[in-house]
Structures are given as C-alpha cells and as structure tokens.
Coordinates of all heavy atoms in Angstrom, one line a residue:
V13 N -10.6 23.7 -5.3 CA -9.4 22.9 -4.9 C -9.0 23.1 -3.5 O -8.6 22.2 -2.8 CB -8.3 23.1 -6.0 CG1 -7.0 22.4 -5.5 CG2 -8.7 22.6 -7.3
A14 N -8.9 24.4 -3.1 CA -8.4 24.7 -1.8 C -9.3 24.2 -0.7 O -8.8 23.8 0.4 CB -8.3 26.2 -1.7
A15 N -10.6 24.1 -1.0 CA -11.5 23.6 0.0 C -11.4 22.1 0.2 O -12.0 21.5 1.2 CB -12.9 24.0 -0.4
Q16 N -10.7 21.4 -0.7 CA -10.6 19.9 -0.6 C -9.6 19.6 0.4 O -8.6 20.3 0.6 CB -10.3 19.3 -1.9 CG -11.4 19.5 -3.0 CD -11.0 18.9 -4.3 OE1 -9.9 18.8 -4.6 NE2 -12.0 18.5 -5.1
S17 N -9.8 18.4 1.1 CA -8.8 17.9 2.0 C -7.6 17.4 1.3 O -7.7 16.9 0.1 CB -9.4 16.7 2.8 OG -10.5 17.2 3.5
R18 N -6.4 17.6 1.9 CA -5.1 17.1 1.3 C -4.7 15.9 2.0 O -4.6 16.0 3.3 CB -4.1 18.2 1.3 CG -2.9 18.0 0.5 CD -2.1 19.3 0.3 NE -0.9 19.1 -0.6 CZ 0.3 19.0 -0.2 NH1 0.6 19.1 1.1 NH2 1.3 18.8 -1.1
I19 N -4.4 14.8 1.3 CA -4.1 13.6 2.0 C -2.8 13.0 1.4 O -2.4 13.3 0.3 CB -5.2 12.5 1.9 CG1 -5.4 12.0 0.4 CG2 -6.6 13.1 2.4 CD1 -6.3 10.8 0.3
A20 N -2.3 12.0 2.2 CA -1.1 11.2 1.7 C -1.4 9.8 2.0 O -2.0 9.5 3.1 CB 0.2 11.7 2.3
V21 N -1.0 8.9 1.1 CA -1.3 7.4 1.3 C 0.0 6.7 1.6 O 0.9 6.8 0.7 CB -2.0 6.8 0.1 CG1 -2.2 5.3 0.3 CG2 -3.3 7.5 -0.2
M22 N 0.2 6.1 2.7 CA 1.4 5.4 3.1 C 1.3 4.0 2.5 O 0.2 3.4 2.2 CB 1.6 5.3 4.6 CG 1.7 6.7 5.2 SD 2.5 6.6 6.8 CE 4.1 6.1 6.4
K23 N 2.5 3.4 2.3 CA 2.6 2.0 1.9 C 1.8 1.1 2.9 O 2.0 1.3 4.1 CB 4.0 1.6 1.8 CG 4.2 0.1 1.6 CD 5.7 -0.3 1.5 CE 5.9 -1.8 1.5 NZ 7.4 -2.1 1.4
L24 N 1.0 0.2 2.4 CA 0.2 -0.6 3.3 C 1.1 -1.8 3.8 O 2.0 -2.3 3.1 CB -1.0 -1.2 2.6 CG -2.3 -0.3 2.7 CD1 -2.1 1.0 1.9 CD2 -3.5 -1.1 2.1
E25 N 0.9 -2.2 5.0 CA 1.6 -3.3 5.6 C 1.1 -4.6 5.0 O -0.1 -4.9 4.9 CB 1.4 -3.4 7.1 CG 2.3 -4.4 7.8 CD 2.1 -4.4 9.3 OE1 1.3 -3.6 9.8 OE2 2.8 -5.2 10.0
D26 N 2.1 -5.4 4.5 CA 1.7 -6.7 3.9 C 1.6 -7.8 4.9 O 2.6 -8.2 5.5 CB 2.7 -7.1 2.8 CG 2.4 -8.4 2.1 OD1 1.4 -9.0 2.4 OD2 3.2 -8.8 1.2
K27 N 0.4 -8.2 5.3 CA 0.2 -9.3 6.3 C -0.2 -10.6 5.6 O -0.6 -11.5 6.3 CB -0.9 -8.8 7.2 CG -0.5 -7.7 8.1 CD -1.6 -7.3 9.1 CE -1.2 -6.2 10.1 NZ -2.2 -5.9 11.1
T28 N 0.0 -10.7 4.3 CA -0.5 -11.9 3.6 C 0.5 -13.0 3.7 O 0.2 -14.2 3.5 CB -0.7 -11.6 2.1 OG1 0.5 -11.2 1.5 CG2 -1.7 -10.4 2.0
G29 N 1.8 -12.7 3.8 CA 2.8 -13.7 3.9 C 3.3 -14.2 2.5 O 4.1 -15.1 2.3
H30 N 2.7 -13.5 1.4 CA 3.1 -13.9 0.1 C 4.2 -12.9 -0.5 O 3.9 -11.8 -0.8 CB 1.8 -13.8 -0.9 CG 0.8 -14.8 -0.6 ND1 1.0 -16.1 -0.6 CD2 -0.5 -14.6 -0.2 CE1 -0.1 -16.8 -0.3 NE2 -1.0 -15.9 -0.1
H31 N 5.4 -13.5 -0.5 CA 6.5 -12.7 -1.0 C 7.1 -13.3 -2.2 O 8.2 -12.9 -2.7 CB 7.6 -12.5 0.1 CG 7.0 -12.0 1.4 ND1 6.5 -10.7 1.5 CD2 6.8 -12.6 2.6 CE1 6.1 -10.5 2.8 NE2 6.2 -11.6 3.5
E32 N 6.5 -14.3 -2.8 CA 7.0 -15.0 -3.9 C 6.5 -14.5 -5.2 O 6.9 -15.1 -6.3 CB 6.7 -16.5 -3.7 CG 5.2 -16.9 -4.0 CD 4.4 -16.7 -2.7 OE1 4.8 -16.1 -1.8 OE2 3.3 -17.3 -2.8
Y33 N 5.7 -13.5 -5.3 CA 5.1 -13.1 -6.5 C 6.0 -12.2 -7.3 O 5.7 -11.8 -8.5 CB 3.7 -12.4 -6.3 CG 2.7 -13.3 -5.6 CD1 1.8 -12.8 -4.7 CD2 2.7 -14.7 -5.9 CE1 0.9 -13.7 -4.1 CE2 1.7 -15.5 -5.3 CZ 0.8 -15.0 -4.4 OH -0.1 -15.8 -3.8
G34 N 7.0 -11.6 -6.7 CA 7.9 -10.8 -7.4 C 7.5 -9.3 -7.5 O 8.1 -8.5 -8.2
Y35 N 6.6 -8.9 -6.6 CA 6.2 -7.5 -6.5 C 5.9 -7.2 -5.0 O 5.5 -8.1 -4.3 CB 5.1 -7.1 -7.4 CG 4.0 -8.1 -7.6 CD1 3.0 -8.3 -6.6 CD2 3.9 -8.8 -8.8 CE1 2.0 -9.2 -6.8 CE2 2.8 -9.7 -9.0 CZ 1.9 -9.9 -8.0 OH 0.9 -10.8 -8.2
D36 N 5.9 -5.9 -4.7 CA 5.6 -5.5 -3.3 C 4.2 -5.2 -3.3 O 3.7 -4.2 -3.8 CB 6.5 -4.2 -3.0 CG 6.4 -3.8 -1.6 OD1 5.3 -3.9 -1.0 OD2 7.4 -3.3 -1.0
I37 N 3.4 -6.1 -2.6 CA 2.0 -5.9 -2.5 C 1.5 -4.6 -1.8 O 0.6 -3.9 -2.3 CB 1.4 -7.2 -1.8 CG1 1.6 -8.4 -2.6 CG2 -0.2 -7.0 -1.6 CD1 1.2 -9.7 -1.9
G38 N 2.1 -4.3 -0.7 CA 1.7 -3.1 0.0 C 2.0 -1.9 -0.8 O 1.2 -0.9 -0.7

C-alpha cells in the first residue's frame, strides 16, 4: 500500500452548458 501513489480527484469543470438536469455533472 505504501508503495502506491496517493492521489486526489478534483471536481471536473462542466463545459457542457447543461445545467437543467438537476445534478452537478462535474
């Protein structure tokens, strides 16, 4: 486990222009 890389995933930027679906795509 220690030898594995440690990462974090940031919220993706939503470039689709779709904000009417009722959820945060990014």
Side-chain angles (χ1 to χ4, degrees):
V13 171
Q16 292 178 337
S17 301
R18 193 164 184 257
I19 71 170
V21 181
M22 300 199 67
K23 172 182 174 180
L24 275 66
E25 185 178 2
D26 182 2
K27 294 184 176 180
T28 67
H30 292 301
H31 306 293
E32 71 275 16
Y33 298 145
Y35 39 75
D36 189 324
I37 296 174

